[in-house]
């Protein structure tokens, strides 16, 4: 397989990670993967706004030096592996990167590049902030009441990809072992997937969620699980989560139970309330009492469902940013996929990738530029100059192309 050597952009410097802290120069090199399908359209649009916001916020003193790295269809077309080793190395080395969506064909033979990136780089927290931008058409009466940040465990659960097809030798062997040695009843003709959940991986995720809540003055962290049914995986997630809160953040957190007994149900000033909810009930709660929730920590599969459901409540996937964060390495990405039917049409909403870029700016401490982008996006949506997905739901909207939408956001930066 061909190899690729990435060229550092001129005048750029590496972000460093020392003593658990990012050190960010004024001209940091940030690798980007353009992505498949609509990726090139939304990346081009997002980049224009990101660059303009940084320039404006810091009077030209700071600038991101983008460095293209390859993955997915573009890598394969260049004769490289779909996920080249050099791409993984670049993300590790430069510490912070951003990507567009990547295609995953359904069915056998092809492992999801997105899941592979998260697992290989051990990006164990999938972080998805979901809030409402005024003017966005939404299906609920009070979309502004939802303002949550979902921390989804990214490396295990049924998403670990440990599974065997029905009728395969491996599935039959495993069924036989389970039936004879462990005295459970598995149909030998079943397809089988495993759901590993560990104390270590649960606790580092929950710790990241609590740290985030403390750093951002968020009032609570809710552990979302289906532990009433899956006791030793999801139930353990809840128990290990409470344990991490008590052991690592004892003085800074209080459980809902203790708050009820000692403080009339309210966490004392400065303490983060730790509570848990069963996953199905949580889906009702985000619709019926969204303002009672702030940071949510979930196992992998629950978090995947819940983040899309929450995103729908505030206007859909086109507005949903995300990040995959490990220790000293972070990869920012839009939550949606490649929407192939719109590829190359300069049509779709770039806000998801743009807001992922704003998360990147916050992550490197450039919050002024991030806030500017969010304000300009809101102003643009309120002016009803929007892409097709929002225009079709908004009376009197002017539908514009992806690039024009970005240009308008850029003009609204203040
Ligand atoms: P999708 O690409 O997310 O698209 C589903 C629908 O969501 C689109 O048809 C469109 O709805 C809407 N949508 C998505 N992005 C939008 C945007 N930027 N602006 C406006 N609307 C947007 O889901 P999919 O069609 O199921 O998946 C396609 C491919 O993407 C698959 O190969 C999948 O594996 C991959 N994927 C990748 C990632 C990732 O890279 N992280 C995530 C998910 C899926 P309308 O049709 O209603 O206009």
């Amino acid at each position: 397989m061909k190899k690729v050597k990435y060229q550092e952009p001129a005048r750029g410097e590496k972000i460093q990670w020392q003593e658990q802290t990012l050190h960010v120069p004024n001209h940091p090199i940030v690798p980007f993967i353009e992505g498949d399908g609509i990726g090139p359209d939304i990346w081009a649009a997002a980049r224009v706004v990101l660059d303009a916001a940084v320039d404006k916020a810091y009077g030209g003193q700071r600038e991101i030096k983008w460095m293209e790295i390859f993955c997915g269809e573009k890598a394969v077309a260049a004769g490289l592996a779909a996920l080249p080793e050099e791409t993984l190395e670049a993300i590790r080395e430069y510490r912070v990167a951003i990507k567009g969506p990547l295609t995953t064909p359904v069915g056998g033979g092809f492992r999801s590049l997105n899941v592979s990136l998260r697992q290989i780089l051990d990006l164990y927290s999938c972080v998805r902030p979901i809030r409402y931008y005024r003017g966005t058409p939404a299906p609920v009466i009070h979309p502004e009441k939802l303002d949550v940040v979902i921390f989804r465990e990214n490396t295990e659960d049924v998403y670990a990809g440990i599974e065997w097809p029905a009728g395969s030798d491996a599935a039959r062997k495993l069924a036989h072992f389970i039936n004879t040695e462990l005295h459970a009843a598995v149909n030998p003709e079943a397809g089988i997937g495993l759901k590993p959940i560990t104390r270590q991986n649960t606790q580092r995720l929950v710790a990241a969620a609590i740290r985030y809540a403390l750093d951002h003055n968020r009032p609570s962290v809710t552990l979302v699980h289906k532990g009433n049914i899956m006791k030793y995986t999801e139930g353990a997630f809840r128990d290990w989560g409470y344990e991490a809160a008590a052991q690592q953040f004892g003085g800074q957190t209080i459980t809902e139970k203790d708050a009820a007994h000692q403080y009339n149900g309210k966490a004392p000033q400065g303490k983060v309330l730790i509570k848990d909810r069963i996953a199905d009930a949580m889906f009702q709660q985000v619709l019926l009492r969204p303002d009672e929730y702030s940071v949510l920590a979930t196992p992998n599969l629950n978090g995947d469902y819940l983040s899309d459901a929450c995103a729908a409540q505030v206007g859909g996937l086109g507005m949903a940013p995300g990040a995959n964060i490990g220790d000293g390495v972070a990869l920012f990405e839009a939550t949606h996929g490649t929407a192939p039917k719109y590829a190359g049409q300069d049509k779709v909403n770039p806000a998801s990738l743009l807001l992922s870029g704003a998360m990147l700016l916050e992550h490197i401490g450039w919050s002024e530029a991030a806030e500017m982008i969010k304000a300009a996006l809101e102003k643009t949506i309120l002016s009803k100059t929007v892409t097709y997905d929002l225009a079709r739901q908004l009376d009197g909207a002017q539908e514009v192309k992806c690039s024009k939408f970005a240009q308008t956001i850029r003009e609204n930066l203040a």
Side-chain angles (χ1 to χ4, degrees):
M1 193 66 70
K2 236 171 89 176
K3 292 213 174 275
V4 62
K5 185 156 173 33
Y6 295 120
Q7 291 290 328
E8 279 195 352
R11 286 194 63 232
E13 293 170 68
K14 276 183 195 160
I15 294 176
Q16 306 286 343
W17 172 250
Q18 286 156 354
E19 293 170 2
Q20 307 293 307
T21 310
L22 279 184
H23 297 268
V24 183
N26 277 344
H27 299 90
I29 298 168
V30 177
F32 70 91
I33 296 166
E34 195 176 52
D36 303 327
I38 55 172
D41 282 350
I42 57 174
W43 170 245
R47 179 175 171 165
V48 164
V49 181
L50 290 166
D51 285 342
V54 168
D55 187 58
K56 192 155 191 147
Y58 306 110
Q61 296 296 305
R62 290 177 172 172
E63 183 189 355
I64 292 183
K65 296 288 182 181
W66 302 107
M67 180 175 90
E68 180 162 19
I69 58 174
F70 299 107
C71 189
E73 289 169 1
K74 200 165 179 180
V76 173
L80 305 166
L83 176 49
E85 189 51 42
E86 298 85 342
T87 290
L88 293 166
E89 274 164 25
I91 299 171
R92 276 192 204 103
E93 193 176 333
Y94 293 91
R95 301 285 175 185
V96 174
I98 188 164
K99 66 175 272 292
L102 296 165
T103 305
T104 303
V106 177
F110 197 94
R111 185 113 172 71
S112 159
L113 294 172
N114 303 300
V115 175
S116 299
L117 278 162
R118 293 168 193 163
Q119 288 185 349
I120 297 169
L121 296 167
D122 199 23
L123 305 173
Y124 57 84
S125 304
C126 178
V127 184
R128 291 181 175 170
I130 298 158
R131 55 157 277 198
Y132 182 63
Y133 287 87
R134 283 178 304 142
T136 311
V140 296
I141 300 167
H142 286 294
E144 74 287 351
K145 287 190 177 178
L146 185 76
D147 179 4
V148 294
V149 182
I150 297 180
F151 276 70
R152 162 189 168 199
E153 206 289 327
N154 233 354
T155 63
E156 48 186 19
D157 198 352
V158 282
Y159 264 61
I162 310 171
E163 55 178 11
W164 296 274
S168 65
D169 268 3
R172 286 202 180 112
K173 257 189 213 162
L174 193 55
H176 179 72
F177 174 78
I178 293 168
N179 293 339
T180 55
E181 300 286 324
L182 306 178
H183 312 294
V186 175
N187 186 323
E189 295 310 311
I192 301 180
L194 296 187
K195 181 179 173 74
I197 292 199
T198 61
R199 173 186 258 124
Q200 185 199 348
N201 289 352
T202 297
Q203 294 197 333
R204 63 182 183 169
L205 181 272
V206 173
I210 296 174
R211 224 173 282 121
Y212 181 93
L214 288 166
D215 290 348
H216 293 82
N217 283 325
R218 292 261 176 177
S220 66
V221 173
T222 305
L223 308 168
V224 183
H225 60 89
K226 190 71 188 164
N228 52 332
I229 306 297
M230 292 169 274
K231 297 181 194 308
Y232 306 123
T233 50
E234 306 244 344
F237 178 90
R238 178 201 57 196
D239 297 345
W240 291 328
Y242 277 119
E243 188 180 87
Q247 289 177 351
Q248 298 178 43
F249 303 93
Q252 298 152 291
T253 59
I254 184 165
T255 63
E256 190 172 40
K257 209 164 149 195
D258 286 348
H261 286 150
Q262 298 163 23
Y263 301 98
N264 260 341
K266 281 220 176 302
Q269 187 74 19
K271 287 205 180 197
V272 173
L273 188 69
I274 309 293
K275 46 190 176 179
D276 77 279
R277 295 289 182 272
I278 290 177
D280 40 348
M282 191 69 223
F283 276 85
Q284 285 191 59
Q285 295 281 302
V286 290
L287 281 165
L288 300 176
R289 288 162 33 201
D291 42 1
E292 291 178 19
Y293 297 91
S294 183
V295 177
L296 309 176
T298 79
N300 208 333
L301 182 62
N302 291 341
D304 196 10
Y305 294 160
L306 194 56
S307 49
D308 275 26
C310 288
Q313 244 171 274
V314 295
L317 284 181
M319 298 288 294
N324 301 291
I325 304 182
D327 292 327
V329 181
L331 179 59
F332 294 79
E333 66 171 348
T335 299
H336 58 72
T338 57
K341 67 182 176 187
Y342 297 125
Q345 293 178 29
D346 190 18
K347 180 176 174 83
V348 297
N349 188 345
S352 172
L353 191 59
L354 175 60
L355 290 171
S356 305
M359 282 179 80
L360 184 157
L361 295 174
E362 275 162 15
H363 182 75
I364 63 171
W366 295 9
S367 301
E368 299 82 0
E371 289 308 317
M372 234 181 215
I373 290 171
K374 290 187 228 171
L377 174 64
E378 188 161 73
K379 188 171 174 194
T380 308
I381 294 171
L382 281 168
S383 75
K384 297 192 175 184
T385 306
V386 289
T387 42
Y388 84 98
D389 53 318
L390 303 181
R392 69 187 169 188
Q393 303 173 67
L394 270 179
D395 284 340
Q398 183 199 355
E399 182 183 325
V400 292
K401 287 189 170 295
C402 173
S403 54
K404 172 72 179 160
F405 186 53
Q407 198 187 318
T408 312
I409 299 170
R410 183 189 173 162
E411 285 160 12
N412 284 333
L413 289 169

